[in-house]
Amino acid sequence: MQEFGENIQQVHNEKLGRHLVAAINIEPGDTILEERPLLVAPHWECHQLKCAQCLQESYVMCRRCQVFPLCMDCSQHDEFDCEFFTSGAGKAICKDILVKNYGICGLLKLLLLLENSDTRADCQMLIDMPINLDEYRDGEGMWQEHEEQVVRPIMQSGFLDVLSNQQLSSDELHAHCIRIDSNSFEVTARDGDTLKGVFVCGASLPHHCVPNTVVALDEQFNMKLYAAVPLQPGDIIYNSYTNPLMGTSQRQHQLRLSRRFECTCSRCLDPTEMGTHMSSMKCRECEGYSVCEIDSNGRLGDWRCPNCNALLTAAEVHELQAEVGSALVEARGDLQVYEALLNQYGPLLHPNHFMLLDIKQNIASILRAAALMNSMEQPCKKLLARRVELCSDLLPVCRAVVPGISKLYAIGLFEYLLALVELVELQFAESDLDKKEYVAHLRTASMVAKEAIELLRFEPENSAEGYLSDRISMELERIESDLKKYGR
Ligand SMILES: [Zn+2]
Ligand SMILES: [Zn+2]
Ligand SMILES: [Zn+2]
Ligand SMILES: [Zn+2]
């Protein structure tokens, strides 16, 4: 199922349990781990049937077993699963078990893998994972969702009665659901829908908010993990399970919910968040910025200004964050409202504050969509220039929070590139720029494109990032040909 490279080895310690470390010097881009998913399944709440083979939307069922959906392009799915419901123990089960309760799909698949003596061993690492159910029982949302979408329907379907190798209680089903959730990455089907891919090894790597690896997923849902930065023998192989553009309080909240884990990584202990100040507030007394006081266990305290020592209590900061949070929900994609929010809250926060970045990303994507649909009356130069400005504001932060090879930074560069080229082409066409100025901008654009392509070099060809890289190469060709034309 998974293949370790010779460049890593598995070790064990008290704090992290079984984990991987570099065995030799590893260069950025070097593959560390390749793994096929144990299973790929729709999210629990998904009701759109997906082909059991390729996971694209499907409206017809497998003609043989009549239980699993199968699309027009796929003629068969997993032999054991099909057989189980055609002439095996599952024959007696009502054929509409999945149609009626599509949410059970992922768990049903896992139970079939466990039932099949050929695949049972592949699941061992997953089911060996201890789960303390009392931490989840009656907790926020997750337990209830599993109970309603998966556990109760599967118990009522009679499916458990036909599994001869497993005796399962509802608690054990809950534990399996949690194992699936905590060992999955979001993967994208060819039709663009997102699914859960369970990767027993890849998804069990310890978390660090500044990961030293990159996860690549191709269209067949195969995972490749490669080094983002140079690794030395003994370096722990880390992955990240949070969004790097979130501030520390947000990331920690997410990790608590999804992984029952208190992060004390170097970024979480650094009040400046690697110099980005993504959680810093404008001091109310002087021109400085207040940073969060963090104890050695990673617990966040009040905000204090290092210049004048003025205090901003955690309660005040949280209140402001909640206020901006609900204003963002209220904004509902309205450009003017977002710009007004920037004006209103900008003076209270560090320019790199994660909430301002969030607002800026929203504005940039509205402007991008508008440009794509050509819905701006005349592509107004002011709005194009605004988009360039916002994309360029995001770049240094993207660069700082994911060092080394970074898809986040590559995508940031791509967005900036598109915005810049669109603006300068229009400015040149309308003679706002002379030939020399235009060429200077094109040179910048060419450098940006090359840097982005370089960062995406290790991504599989048949992946979203692979296609993005092709797209940037086309853009680069266009830029280079204009440079040839005007450059002399
Ligand atoms: Zn299919
Ligand atoms: Zn079938
Ligand atoms: Zn952290
Ligand atoms: Zn101050």
Side-chain angles (χ1 to χ4, degrees):
M1 188 86 11
Q2 79 265 356
E3 262 172 59
F4 296 132
E6 286 179 357
N7 49 10
I8 55 165
Q9 63 187 81
Q10 204 166 45
V11 294
H12 187 277
N13 71 18
E14 192 93 345
K15 189 173 163 227
L16 295 174
R18 205 161 38 176
H19 61 283
L20 303 172
V21 297
I24 53 169
N25 285 314
I26 298 177
E27 295 297 317
D30 284 358
T31 301
I32 290 173
L33 177 72
E34 287 183 284
E35 188 176 1
R36 280 188 298 125
L38 181 66
L39 64 95
V40 180
H43 296 287
W44 304 123
E45 72 279 9
C46 173
H47 294 291
Q48 166 59 54
L49 299 186
K50 309 272 184 189
C51 171
Q53 184 63 25
C54 70
L55 277 306
Q56 300 191 79
E57 268 189 28
S58 162
Y59 299 91
V60 288
M61 305 305 279
C62 167
R63 272 199 251 163
R64 224 173 128 235
C65 64
Q66 295 166 41
V67 168
F68 287 93
L70 213 52
C71 73
M72 299 302 202
D73 301 329
C74 298
S75 57
Q76 55 190 30
H77 60 106
D78 185 89
E79 179 69 37
F80 179 88
D81 295 358
C82 196
E83 195 61 36
F84 185 85
F85 286 103
T86 308
S87 54
K91 200 175 169 212
I93 297 288
C94 200
K95 299 289 178 209
D96 60 7
I97 176 172
L98 273 178
V99 175
K100 264 191 171 152
N101 300 293
Y102 195 52
I104 67 171
C105 189
L107 183 58
L108 183 83
K109 180 71 201 164
L110 176 62
L111 296 178
L112 287 166
L113 285 168
L114 287 164
E115 195 65 10
N116 181 353
S117 54
D118 294 340
T119 52
R120 194 180 162 79
D122 298 335
C123 313
Q124 203 58 46
M125 228 172 109
L126 185 76
I127 57 173
D128 282 349
M129 210 178 116
I131 303 283
N132 180 1
L133 283 180
D134 291 330
E135 280 182 16
Y136 293 88
R137 210 182 296 274
D138 312 319
E140 276 182 70
M142 188 197 247
W143 183 275
Q144 205 56 29
E145 186 188 18
H146 291 159
E147 176 67 24
E148 281 163 20
Q149 308 275 7
V150 196
V151 177
R152 199 180 304 147
I154 229 170
M155 302 272 301
Q156 286 169 353
S157 69
F159 180 67
L160 298 186
D161 304 332
V162 298
L163 296 175
S164 51
N165 300 329
Q166 307 167 72
Q167 256 79 53
L168 294 156
S169 64
S170 92
D171 271 10
E172 278 152 324
L173 295 182
H174 271 285
H176 280 340
C177 291
I178 294 164
R179 291 185 179 108
I180 290 175
D181 280 348
S182 51
N183 283 277
S184 58
F185 290 125
E186 192 164 278
V187 299
T188 308
R190 254 178 301 167
D191 59 14
D193 257 8
T194 60
L195 310 149
K196 277 191 291 211
V198 177
F199 295 87
V200 178
C201 193
S204 67
L205 295 171
H207 167 85
H208 198 295
C209 294
V210 191
N212 51 15
T213 59
V214 183
V215 175
L217 291 155
D218 70 16
E219 276 183 335
Q220 278 77 48
F221 312 118
N222 297 306
M223 190 201 73
K224 177 177 93 164
L225 189 80
Y226 60 88
V229 291
L231 299 175
Q232 271 142 31
D235 282 356
I236 298 167
I237 308 297
Y238 284 110
N239 195 355
S240 169
Y241 304 105
T242 55
N243 177 349
L245 290 181
M246 283 179 172
T248 296
S249 59
Q250 280 187 310
R251 291 195 317 282
Q252 294 199 335
H253 179 69
Q254 195 195 18
L255 288 168
R256 245 172 250 137
L257 278 188
S258 65
R259 302 225 154 213
R260 313 275 138 178
F261 168 72
E262 296 293 327
C263 193
T264 53
C265 77
S266 51
R267 177 172 172 189
C268 284
L269 294 181
D270 175 1
T272 74
E273 297 195 47
M274 313 167 76
T276 60
H277 286 279
M278 277 178 66
S279 299
S280 301
M281 313 289 296
K282 180 81 187 60
C283 176
R284 304 282 154 86
E285 309 291 333
C286 78
E287 287 305 298
Y289 292 99
S290 305
V291 295
C292 186
E293 295 178 319
I294 303 171
D295 73 13
S296 59
N297 296 318
R299 264 188 291 269
L300 308 183
D302 294 326
W303 271 250
R304 197 176 286 282
C305 173
N307 286 346
C308 72
N309 216 29
L311 181 85
L312 201 58
T313 65
E316 288 175 280
V317 173
H318 294 155
E319 198 180 318
L320 182 68
Q321 284 185 10
E323 191 182 315
V324 180
S326 38
L328 270 170
V329 176
E330 292 288 301
R332 280 178 241 274
D334 185 322
L335 191 66
Q336 256 73 47
V337 177
Y338 285 121
E339 290 285 9
L341 288 178
L342 269 191
N343 286 331
Q344 184 181 352
Y345 293 108
L348 302 177
L349 306 166
H350 189 280
N352 285 344
H353 194 281
F354 66 87
M355 292 192 300
L356 296 183
L357 297 182
D358 193 358
I359 301 173
K360 286 179 179 181
Q361 280 175 287
N362 274 301
I363 300 175
S365 69
I366 294 170
L367 291 175
R368 184 184 173 187
L372 262 183
M373 287 161 34
N374 235 341
S375 68
M376 289 185 225
E377 304 270 287
Q378 298 152 346
C380 158
K381 276 179 283 189
K382 217 172 103 196
L383 291 182
L384 284 175
R386 178 72 178 134
R387 192 170 138 220
V388 173
E389 182 185 26
L390 292 167
C391 291
S392 108
D393 281 356
L394 287 166
L395 281 180
V397 183
C398 293
R399 182 63 290 182
V401 292
V402 187
I405 302 176
S406 157
K407 287 197 261 192
L408 177 76
Y409 188 49
I411 292 167
L413 286 171
F414 170 64
E415 293 295 330
Y416 174 67
L417 174 74
L418 283 189
L420 178 68
V421 169
E422 220 166 296
L423 174 66
V424 298
E425 276 177 354
L426 184 67
Q427 284 174 328
F428 183 54
E430 298 188 353
S431 307
D432 296 344
L433 294 175
D434 64 23
K435 209 164 79 175
K436 214 172 121 201
E437 290 164 323
Y438 182 50
V439 163
H441 283 300
L442 289 180
R443 291 227 163 88
T444 307
S446 157
M447 265 159 43
V448 170
K450 284 174 187 162
E451 194 178 0
I453 292 167
E454 178 67 21
L455 288 169
L456 295 171
R457 191 156 62 97
F458 301 100
E459 291 293 315
E461 272 173 40
N462 61 338
S463 67
E465 291 77 12
Y467 300 134
L468 176 62
S469 181
D470 294 343
R471 168 83 210 278
I472 302 171
S473 301
M474 275 163 53
E475 201 66 34
L476 179 60
E477 252 173 61
R478 231 163 49 87
I479 295 166
E480 294 292 332
S481 95
D482 252 21
L483 270 174
K484 262 200 203 115
K485 198 155 129 200
Y486 301 108
R488 331 249 123 219

